[in-house]
Amino acid sequence: MIDKKVRWGIIGCGDVTEKKSGPAFQKVRNSELVAVMRRTGELAKDYAERHGVAKWYDEADALINDPDVDAVYIATPPGSHKEYTLMAAAAGKPVYVEKPMARNFEECNEMVAACKEAGVPLYVAYYRRAQERFLKIKELLDQNAIGDVRFVTSIQYQKAGEDVKASDQLPWRVQPEIAGGGLFFDLASHTLDILDFLLGPIQEAKGFASNQGGFYGAEDIVTGTYRFTSGVQGVGTWCFTAFEELDKNEIVGSKGKISFSTFGDDPVILTTHEGQQKWSFERPKHVHQPLVTTILKELTDGGNWCPSTGESGARTNRVMDKIVGK
């Protein structure tokens, strides 16, 4: 527990930190962003100047060991998550790491073990766990609005991006040595994690993964089946070379179903024999802010407030590894 304002340092101040996450560390109570790091120093300096951050670095070690930095947010691609988490843990500093937590389940376990040994908390940026939209779905399930949950289906498909077509410099998200896999690891991780939050841990998982589009070497289509510890069953399909876009999840129970998207702003829909009810939610300006708020409450007040931990993040990596056959 930190008995004062928590001073944050960001490693990897790229696009995700511009609006989604970075400003949250300045706006949450008892929180302050005091340092940023990027390998290209000029870009780190530019970020610091634009966001009113006092210090900038081009080496992670310097930021982590800055005595004015109390906690570290790792916003780099997954390939360096383990390295920086172990460094921060060795320095005795709490860690908030981007998703997916690492390239594979084995790396996640090393991160969890290092933070436990150092006695520091480890949080993962599956920020949907703290957003009103998904808390409403959790509330409906807890209220038995659809009766006993039987199964869940997820389907997400989209067009191949122009950045992967005839490209001699592929995005890191489709380079397995950096991302752990293709877009399945980057995007489906959000869905699988929120299902863990809503329905409990997945006990068994298997699936098929292949490449149909030929734009890159990583998988571009994945189909998975899974069984939750509760006995609920699930199936999901993710395709990243389709003709249009769709993002839909349905949780089906003995008395109704709940329909929602992972990434969209369409309403949460409850369907029962009595009809339909819909709830719409405004997307937070800084999508990480609700989750960061729970982290700050935990770091300054004690207790277990953050719903996204190293253990839960590792479970999502385990499921993805099982589905793609790692």
Side-chain angles (χ1 to χ4, degrees):
M1 189 168 69
I2 300 175
D3 191 26
K4 56 182 175 63
K5 179 178 285 189
V6 178
R7 300 168 299 178
W8 288 89
I10 296 179
I11 297 176
C13 50
D15 290 345
V16 71
T17 68
E18 289 287 347
K19 184 176 179 181
K20 287 185 175 182
S21 60
F25 297 102
Q26 302 279 43
K27 295 187 174 185
V28 173
R29 179 174 171 269
N30 290 331
S31 177
E32 181 181 4
L33 179 59
V34 299
V36 294
M37 172 268 169
R38 197 165 180 177
R39 289 178 180 176
T40 303
E42 284 302 313
L43 293 177
K45 179 182 178 183
D46 174 69
Y47 185 99
E49 290 175 347
R50 287 186 293 105
H51 291 276
V53 181
K55 299 181 182 181
W56 61 270
Y57 296 99
D58 58 9
E59 292 185 2
D61 185 68
L63 180 141
I64 288 170
N65 289 290
D66 184 331
D68 290 333
V69 171
D70 300 314
V72 178
Y73 167 40
I74 301 168
T76 61
S80 55
H81 287 183
K82 186 186 82 168
E83 175 190 359
Y84 292 144
T85 295
L86 268 55
M87 290 169 62
K93 299 188 177 181
V95 179
Y96 179 48
V97 64
E98 265 301 334
K99 46 59 56 188
M101 182 175 164
R103 291 176 294 186
N104 52 59
F105 183 48
E106 182 179 354
E107 288 186 346
C108 294
N109 285 336
E110 292 182 54
M111 294 160 68
V112 170
C115 289
K116 280 187 176 180
E117 184 177 350
V120 298
L122 173 59
Y123 309 105
V124 184
Y126 285 114
Y127 51 80
R128 284 172 173 79
R129 287 177 174 244
Q131 290 183 349
E132 283 186 316
R133 173 184 180 83
F134 298 95
L135 292 175
K136 180 62 182 181
I137 299 170
K138 180 75 166 170
E139 177 186 286
L140 291 171
L141 291 169
D142 290 344
Q143 292 174 346
N144 205 36
I146 62 171
D148 297 327
V149 179
R150 302 304 191 199
F151 66 91
V152 57
T153 63
S154 298
I155 185 166
Q156 181 185 0
Y157 54 81
Q158 62 189 48
K159 300 176 183 178
E162 294 301 321
D163 56 348
V164 303
K165 294 180 178 179
S167 174
D168 57 0
Q169 188 173 355
L170 290 169
W172 65 260
R173 288 177 173 83
V174 295
Q175 298 182 46
E177 66 275 15
I178 300 174
L183 292 174
F184 173 75
F185 280 77
D186 185 46
L187 299 176
S189 58
H190 277 293
T191 296
L192 291 168
D193 183 81
I194 203 64
L195 293 181
D196 178 288
F197 175 67
L198 295 172
L199 302 173
I202 291 173
Q203 184 174 1
E204 297 179 73
K206 56 186 177 180
F208 297 94
S210 59
N211 185 291
Q212 295 178 328
F215 297 115
Y216 44 81
E219 77 289 335
D220 62 15
I221 183 167
V222 177
T223 299
T225 59
Y226 21 92
R227 184 171 65 86
F228 295 78
T229 302
S230 64
V232 171
Q233 296 187 18
V235 61
T237 299
W238 295 267
C239 177
F240 303 102
T241 59
F243 78 108
E244 64 175 3
E245 299 186 358
L246 180 69
D247 167 19
K248 185 177 182 180
N249 306 290
E250 284 193 343
I251 302 175
V252 178
S254 59
K255 297 179 181 178
K257 68 178 181 179
I258 301 171
S259 306
F260 63 98
S261 66
T262 301
F263 298 95
D265 294 323
D266 48 307
V268 171
I269 303 174
L270 169 65
T271 304
T272 65
H273 288 303
E274 284 73 44
Q276 283 191 344
Q277 290 179 267
K278 299 182 180 182
W279 295 268
S280 295
F281 299 90
E282 184 177 349
R283 188 190 299 259
K285 182 178 181 181
H286 310 297
V287 293
H288 284 241
Q289 190 165 337
L291 186 65
V292 171
T293 298
T294 69
I295 292 172
L296 266 294
K297 185 171 180 61
E298 189 167 312
L299 290 178
T300 57
D301 296 345
N304 298 309
W305 296 97
C306 181
S308 185
T309 64
E311 287 81 0
S312 64
R315 290 199 300 267
T316 294
N317 266 88
R318 173 183 171 275
V319 171
M320 292 192 294
D321 284 2
K322 293 287 187 182
I323 290 175
V324 301
K326 281 191 177 183

